[in-house]
Amino acid sequence: MSSSGSVGPKVTQRLKHKLGFKSYEKPKDSTAREQQRKAAQVLDAEGRDVTPRPLCPTFLGVLPLDEIFSSKGSDRSKPTSSFADLLTSSSFLESTSQSSLSPKDSWTKETIDSLTLQDVNPNLPAPYKVPVKINRVEEDLTEDMLDEVVQKVITDRDTLTLLDLSLTHGVSEEAEDSNAVQERNVLYAELCRNRTNNDKYVDGATQTLNGMPKVKKIQTNKNIVVDEGATATNWDLHDSYCEQKKTPEAHEADIQDLTASTGKGQDRTAESISGDTGSTVSSLLEKCEDSFKARPDLEDVLMSDSFKSSLLVMERAVATNVLLAELAAYKNLPVLEDPDRTAEPGFGEQSDEDEEHLSTPTMKHLWVFVCDLTKGYKATSMAWSKKNSNILAVGYIAHDSKNPNPGLICCWSLKNPKWPERVYSCHSDVMSLDFSANNPSQLAVGMKDGSISIYSVNTEGETAFIASSREGSRKHLHPVMQVTWTKHQLKLSEKERQDVLVSVSIDGRITKWFLGGSGLDCIDLMKLKKIYDAKKKAAGGKKVEGNVLVPAIPALCFDFHPTEYGIYLVGTYDGLIHECSVSNNEQFLNTYKHHIGPVNHVEWSPFSPDVFLSCSSDWSMHLWQRGVSAPTMSFRSAYSEVHIAQWSSNSPALFAAIYKQWVEVWDLNSNIMFPTIVHHAAADVELTSLLFARDSDSVLVGDTEGQVTVYKLPNLRVGRTKKVESLDDIIQSVSSHRW
Amino acid sequence: MKVDVEGTLKRIESYKGVIGTIVVNAEGIPIRSTLDNSTTVQYAGLLRHLAAMARSSVRDIDPQNDLTVLRIHSKKYEIMVAPENNYLLIVIQNPCE
C-alpha cells in the first residue's frame, strides 16, 4: 500500500472498507502516471508527436474490472492497473477523457499511442500531483456508493508464453539421443493417457509416520585449548623454502652425514631459531631432527668448518683492535678520540708532527709481520697483490741449508700481522715473487735452482701449486733473480691485455714463460752476451770467429717500461744496463754504461716517463734519462752495497734504498745530495728487501730475521714553503746547472 | 697447512688485551672457556639471546645475508660474538690496556 501514503487519510479509510479495493490504488497510480506520461509526451521541434512506442505488444485481454467501473460512470476507474500488476515492464493508459469503456479496437489504438515513458525514459518523471488526484476521486464517490456492497471478480490473465520448450523436452533436435528421448517422451505421454481409466493403475495414499523425537544428553571433557604462537620471520620463510627445494635424496644424504659426525650435520639440528624469547619457529626439518638425536659435541663444534671461519674473523677483529691506531696511520685515517679513554696520548697527534719537523725526520715503526713459521728464514722478496691491496706475499730463504723446506712463501693480510693467511713451502730458495694482474690469484715464484712455479693463492696446501718449470727442457739452470708479470705487447683492447711472465736469470737469459702442456714452457727473449770492445780486438789482432763460444753474462735485474710495453731494461753483472725490446732478441736498443759493479736493481720511474734509477754494488745509485748515455744524477752516501733502490708509488721524487744495515729515503725535492731519512736496523740484523706500500706513505722492510717491518714515512711536505716540484723539473734544474 | 683450531684459539688468547674466550654450544652450555664458571655462564646466557636477535634482524632484511660478528664496544672493553647454528664464539678484549 505504498501509494496510499500519498493519498489523503479520508480516502484511505474508505478504501479499507472495500474488498479488493486494493486495485483502486493502482488506478490512482496509473492515472497519476498517466498524467505523468501524458505530460511527458515527446514532441520534436515541429510539434510532431514522436513519443516512443511501447516495446511490448499490446494485450487485447478483456478488462472485466473496466466493465464494472464503467457501469458506475466513473471516469477514473478505468484501471489499466490489472495489466500493470502482471506486466510490470509496461502499463497501459487510457485517455482520461473517455467516459465509457472503449471497445477493444479503440483501446488498442489508444494504448499504442500511449506512452510508457516510465520504462523508456525514467529520467523524466513529472511531478506527482497528489492533491489533484485525490480531489477527483473524492468528487465521484458518494457516501452511498461507498456503503454498497460491491462484488468484484478478479481473474487471472492468460499466461504469456515467451518461450516454449515443451516440444523438445529440453533436448535439442540435433542431439544424438534426441530420437531416443523423443520416443521415451511419446511412450510416457501414452502411459499418462492410459493411466486415467486403466485398471492397472490405482491411486493409493500413504502416510509417513513421524518418528518420536527423543532427547539424549551427553557430557564430554572440556577440550584443552593451548595457545601457541610462532613468529614467521622473513628468513625462516626463506630457509623453509630453500629446504623444500632440496630433493628427498639430498635429505637422505644429509641424514647420512649426521652419523659421520661432521660439522655439516650439526647445522640441521637447530632449524628452530627463536625469533624472540620464548616462541620458537617451526621448520620442515624438525621431524628429521627428532629421529636423529645427535648432540653437538665439543669436538664436533671445534672441527666444523664454520667454526674455523668464525675463528678467522674473530682473530682479525682482535688483531685489528690491537693495531687500530697503527692501521689508521697506515691508511692515513684519523683515529677518533674515544671519550672514555682520554688518558692515552694519541698516536698521530699534531704535536708529534710539529716536533718532528724540527728534528730529523724519521720513519715510524708501525708493526711487524712475523710468526713462528718464519723463524730461521730471511725475507728476500715481497710483492703486493694487484687486486687486493691488503694482501702481501713474502718469499723467504731458510738460513739453515738442512731445512727440509728451504723456501717459504707467506701471504699476509694487513688485518692480521700475527699469522699469515697462506703458507706454502718450496723446494728451493725463493728469490723473487710477483702477482699476476690478469688472474689476481696467481703468484709466480722464481727460485734459486732456476725453476719457476706458479701458485694459486685461492687455496691452501698442495692444491695451490699450479705449474712449475722444473721438468722443462729449457728452464733456467741458474738462480732466477727476478720474475715479473708484464703486459703483452699485442693488444686487442686495453682491458684484454694479457699478462706475460718474464724472468731473468744468472745464466743471462731473459725468457718469456707460458703454460704449455705439462708445465711451463719458455721462449727466450734475449740472451746476454759479452760485447767485445772493438779496440781490444784490433789491439789483440785476433778476430773472433763465429763459432767461438761466447760466455753469457749474468743478468741480475730487469724492469719493463710502465707505458711502452715491450721495452725493458736489464742490469747485468758487469755494470752495464741494456735497453732492449721484446721484438728484437739479437741487439740492444741502447746501453748505459757507468756503473762499475754489478747492477743490482733498475727501475723506471712510475711518474716521469723515460727516467729510471739504478743501483749497484759499487756503492752508488744513478738516475738516468732514456737515451742519455750518462747518468743525470748520482747518489752516493754510504760505503756499502746498495741492494735495492725503489721509487715511491705516491710521490714522484721519493725513492728508498736498502743497504746492508740501513734504509735510506731520498727526497729529491728537499735534498739531492743526502738522504732525507736514514734508518738503521737493529744490530745483528741485515736488511734484505724493500717494498713501498701502494696506497699509503709506508715502506716495508724485510730482514734476515724473517721479519717484515712496516714503517710509516713522515709527511715530508709538511712545513715546506716551496711548491713540490716534479721529477722533470728537478732533472731540468740539475741538467741546467751542470752545463 | 690447515687451519689449526687449537693453535688459533691459543693465538687469539695471547693477543694484547684479550680477557677471555668462550665457546658455547647450541643449548647454551659453555663447552670451553678461559674465564671462571660463573662469569662464563652469565656471558653465555645473556649473549645467546642478543646474538640470536641480531641475527634475526639481519636476516629479516635480506634472508640471504647472515651475521658474521656482533661487536659490542662498551666503556671498559669490547665483546665480540660470532653466532652460528650450533655454537657461539665469544671473545672479550680490552683494546687499550
Side-chain angles (χ1 to χ4, degrees):
Chain A
M1 300 195 41
S2 56
S3 55
S4 64
S6 52
V7 184
K10 235 202 245 175
V11 178
T12 315
Q13 280 173 348
R14 287 186 199 138
L15 286 178
K16 279 179 190 167
H17 293 300
K18 318 273 165 124
L19 278 172
F21 256 53
K22 269 190 192 173
S23 57
Y24 265 112
E25 301 162 18
K26 297 296 184 227
K28 281 192 218 66
D29 266 1
S30 66
T31 49
R33 270 180 266 153
E34 183 198 328
Q35 299 302 315
Q36 279 177 269
R37 284 172 213 133
K38 279 287 182 204
Q41 253 182 336
V42 176
L43 301 167
D44 67 2
E46 287 154 28
R48 277 180 297 187
D49 186 0
V50 291
T51 56
R53 296 190 196 169
L55 290 172
C56 280
T58 61
F59 282 97
L60 315 178
V62 177
L63 310 166
L65 285 170
D66 299 340
E67 285 168 353
I68 297 161
F69 289 141
S70 63
S71 63
K72 294 213 187 275
S74 132
D75 287 353
R76 276 314 80 59
S77 53
K78 285 161 194 140
T80 57
S81 57
S82 53
F83 295 134
D85 291 327
L86 301 166
L87 193 63
T88 55
S89 61
S90 67
S91 42
F92 298 94
L93 305 170
E94 39 138 6
S95 167
T96 50
S97 55
Q98 270 182 330
S99 54
S100 62
L101 181 66
S102 337
K104 285 181 197 177
D105 303 325
S106 64
W107 262 84
T108 50
K109 210 173 33 170
E110 284 290 329
T111 52
I112 283 166
D113 292 339
S114 66
L115 295 166
T116 55
L117 262 187
Q118 260 194 344
D119 322 306
V120 175
N121 193 350
N123 290 333
L124 285 184
Y128 188 74
K129 300 186 186 110
V130 169
V132 179
K133 313 286 182 311
I134 294 168
N135 292 335
R136 286 195 193 165
V137 170
E138 278 185 321
E139 278 166 25
D140 288 335
L141 287 175
T142 61
E143 288 295 328
D144 298 335
M145 277 169 65
L146 288 174
D147 291 334
E148 286 175 24
V149 178
V150 182
Q151 276 197 335
K152 303 288 172 197
V153 176
I154 297 170
T155 59
D156 218 346
R157 181 171 48 98
D158 290 344
T159 309
L160 171 64
T161 308
L162 291 171
L163 176 65
D164 187 4
L165 288 176
S166 55
L167 294 174
T168 59
H169 291 277
V171 176
S172 102
E173 287 181 355
E174 292 170 29
E176 287 168 359
D177 49 356
S178 65
N179 285 335
V181 171
Q182 276 181 354
E183 276 174 21
R184 283 210 301 274
N185 288 344
V186 165
L187 282 174
Y188 184 71
E190 245 189 73
L191 184 74
C192 288
R193 268 205 309 276
N194 291 342
R195 258 193 65 192
T196 45
N197 296 325
N198 207 338
D199 285 335
K200 277 196 200 172
Y201 300 94
V202 174
D203 282 329
T206 58
Q207 185 180 22
T208 55
L209 296 173
N210 292 329
M212 281 285 294
K214 180 175 167 185
V215 175
K216 187 158 183 176
K217 295 184 185 173
I218 58 165
Q219 190 175 26
T220 58
N221 285 332
K222 184 180 172 189
N223 288 333
I224 298 171
V225 174
V226 174
D227 278 327
E228 180 103 10
T231 314
T233 52
N234 229 358
W235 51 267
D236 187 47
L237 293 170
H238 175 88
D239 282 347
S240 308
Y241 181 66
C242 289
E243 286 298 335
Q244 207 172 34
K245 271 184 169 180
K246 267 196 199 171
T247 62
E249 288 87 39
H251 273 290
E252 283 301 316
D254 283 336
I255 290 170
Q256 297 297 331
D257 283 340
L258 267 176
T259 55
S261 83
T262 54
K264 240 195 216 171
Q266 310 310 321
D267 293 353
R268 303 173 63 77
T269 52
E271 283 301 325
S272 55
I273 297 172
S274 316
D276 47 37
T277 57
S279 66
T280 55
V281 178
S282 67
S283 154
L284 287 173
L285 291 180
E286 275 182 332
K287 42 185 187 270
C288 302
E289 186 191 331
D290 292 331
S291 57
F292 278 88
K293 300 204 177 67
R295 298 182 63 79
D297 206 6
L298 171 66
E299 284 306 309
D300 294 334
V301 165
L302 290 183
M303 289 306 134
S304 62
D305 287 334
S306 56
F307 191 72
K308 289 175 192 166
S309 60
S310 293
L311 270 182
L312 196 70
V313 172
M314 194 62 84
E315 191 181 353
R316 284 193 190 163
V318 171
T320 47
N321 257 349
V322 172
L323 285 183
L324 193 65
E326 285 86 359
L327 281 173
Y330 176 86
K331 301 238 176 195
N332 289 326
L333 296 170
V335 179
L336 292 173
E337 278 281 332
D338 202 347
D340 300 316
R341 296 172 228 254
T342 48
E344 303 252 356
F347 181 73
E349 278 176 3
Q350 276 296 349
S351 58
D352 278 4
E353 284 196 30
D354 291 337
E355 283 171 28
E356 272 188 67
H357 172 61
L358 302 171
S359 60
T360 341
T362 54
M363 301 199 291
K364 274 206 184 83
H365 173 107
L366 290 181
W367 71 84
V368 184
F369 285 110
V370 70
C371 72
D372 285 345
L373 296 172
T374 59
K375 274 194 193 146
Y377 288 84
K378 60 178 177 181
T380 52
S381 54
M382 298 185 278
W384 288 105
S385 161
K386 299 257 161 67
K387 188 170 171 208
N388 186 349
S389 58
N390 283 349
I391 305 281
L392 174 75
V394 183
Y396 298 87
I397 295 181
H399 284 297
D400 188 5
S401 54
K402 295 204 193 97
N403 193 330
N405 294 327
L408 195 70
I409 302 168
C410 286
C411 285
W412 297 88
S413 162
L414 282 182
K415 296 179 195 169
N416 188 355
K418 286 229 177 154
W419 193 258
E421 303 290 318
R422 301 272 187 267
V423 181
Y424 307 112
S425 61
C426 307
H427 58 273
S428 168
D429 297 351
V430 175
M431 305 294 295
S432 172
L433 303 164
D434 200 17
F435 272 100
S436 162
N438 264 22
N439 306 324
S441 67
Q442 284 191 355
L443 177 66
V445 181
M447 290 186 260
K448 200 166 187 184
D449 65 349
S451 62
I452 293 175
S453 307
I454 298 184
Y455 287 86
S456 166
V457 294
N458 277 341
T459 52
E460 295 228 17
E462 290 306 309
T463 53
F465 187 73
I466 293 181
S468 162
S469 72
R470 270 166 94 177
E471 285 83 33
S473 53
R474 289 183 292 177
K475 62 172 185 168
H476 292 296
L477 296 164
H478 289 276
V480 175
M481 296 308 291
Q482 199 172 345
V483 289
T484 241
W485 290 90
T486 186
K487 295 283 188 193
H488 205 272
Q489 215 177 0
L490 292 172
K491 67 159 180 170
L492 303 160
S493 71
E494 204 46 55
K495 283 184 200 162
E496 289 178 23
R497 266 190 203 270
Q498 290 296 315
D499 268 26
V500 148
L501 177 62
V502 184
S503 71
V504 68
S505 149
I506 293 211
D507 61 2
R509 280 162 59 202
I510 297 148
T511 50
K512 177 170 95 171
W513 296 86
F514 48 90
L515 272 175
S518 57
L520 288 173
D521 208 359
C522 65
I523 293 176
D524 274 352
L525 289 178
M526 176 66 72
K527 274 201 177 103
L528 292 181
K529 297 188 179 57
K530 214 175 180 84
I531 298 174
Y532 280 97
D533 205 353
K535 278 190 188 167
K536 271 190 183 168
K537 269 198 267 181
K542 286 183 191 171
K543 265 199 179 167
V544 181
E545 294 295 322
N547 49 2
V548 170
L549 273 176
V550 179
I553 298 177
L556 296 176
C557 55
F558 74 146
D559 191 31
F560 276 81
H561 197 281
T563 48
E564 270 186 61
Y565 305 120
I567 306 287
Y568 59 96
L569 296 167
V570 184
T572 61
Y573 191 76
D574 54 358
L576 298 174
I577 302 171
H578 301 295
E579 182 182 336
C580 320
S581 163
V582 165
S583 47
N584 186 344
N585 59 355
E586 294 291 327
Q587 290 171 330
F588 310 126
L589 293 177
N590 219 331
T591 301
Y592 303 93
K593 187 177 160 152
H594 199 89
H595 278 295
I596 306 167
V599 178
N600 287 329
H601 198 90
V602 280
E603 191 170 341
W604 292 97
S605 163
F607 289 93
S608 302
D610 303 336
V611 171
F612 63 92
L613 182 71
S614 69
C615 69
S616 101
S617 301
D618 64 356
W619 308 341
S620 71
M621 293 176 280
H622 293 306
L623 182 93
W624 308 75
Q625 276 178 297
R626 186 178 173 193
V628 176
S629 55
T632 315
M633 282 198 265
S634 300
F635 312 103
R636 189 189 301 260
S637 74
Y639 302 115
S640 176
E641 303 170 351
V642 189
H643 283 295
I644 299 174
Q646 266 203 349
W647 289 102
S648 158
S649 42
N650 291 346
S651 319
L654 201 67
F655 67 90
I658 285 243
Y659 296 76
K660 264 201 179 146
Q661 291 284 338
W662 60 93
V663 183
E664 285 183 355
V665 177
W666 292 71
D667 181 8
L668 295 176
N669 276 324
S670 58
N671 196 336
I672 61 171
M673 298 301 293
F674 297 104
T676 314
I677 300 173
V678 179
H679 179 92
H680 286 263
D684 299 338
V685 174
E686 277 184 20
L687 301 173
T688 50
S689 60
L690 176 75
L691 189 68
F692 265 93
R694 242 194 252 128
D695 48 358
S696 150
D697 292 330
S698 307
V699 161
L700 281 79
V701 178
D703 59 23
T704 49
E705 294 277 300
Q707 296 183 4
V708 175
T709 320
V710 182
Y711 295 97
K712 180 157 167 66
L713 297 173
N715 195 347
L716 294 164
R717 297 190 212 129
V718 170
R720 296 180 53 81
T721 49
K722 279 198 291 182
K723 259 172 52 176
V724 173
E725 301 161 359
S726 76
L727 194 57
D728 296 329
D729 297 338
I730 297 171
I731 292 170
Q732 288 289 328
S733 63
V734 166
S735 315
S736 59
H737 277 193
R738 195 174 287 182
W739 309 117
Chain B
M1 290 183 203
K2 281 176 150 181
V3 175
D4 178 20
V5 170
E6 274 300 324
T8 313
L9 270 172
K10 289 237 167 11
R11 216 167 44 240
I12 291 179
E13 282 151 23
S14 69
Y15 271 88
K16 179 184 122 174
V18 172
I19 297 171
T21 58
I22 304 169
V23 182
V24 181
N25 73 351
E27 278 103 22
I29 302 166
I31 48 182
R32 189 204 145 101
S33 167
T34 58
L35 301 168
D36 55 282
N37 198 30
S38 55
T39 321
T40 306
V41 167
Q42 194 179 25
Y43 269 106
L46 292 169
L47 289 171
R48 210 167 132 246
H49 293 302
L50 186 63
M53 184 106 61
R55 194 158 183 233
S56 172
S57 311
V58 167
R59 292 205 72 204
D60 245 353
I61 294 165
D62 178 10
Q64 287 171 336
N65 202 357
D66 199 3
L67 181 69
T68 43
V69 173
L70 174 68
R71 292 167 80 153
I72 306 163
H73 195 99
S74 72
K75 265 197 203 173
K76 293 194 182 170
Y77 36 72
E78 182 168 349
I79 305 167
M80 288 168 272
V81 183
E84 285 290 332
N85 273 341
N86 50 341
Y87 66 85
L88 204 65
L89 172 65
I90 304 167
V91 174
I92 307 144
Q93 185 189 19
N94 183 0
C96 296
E97 237 178 31

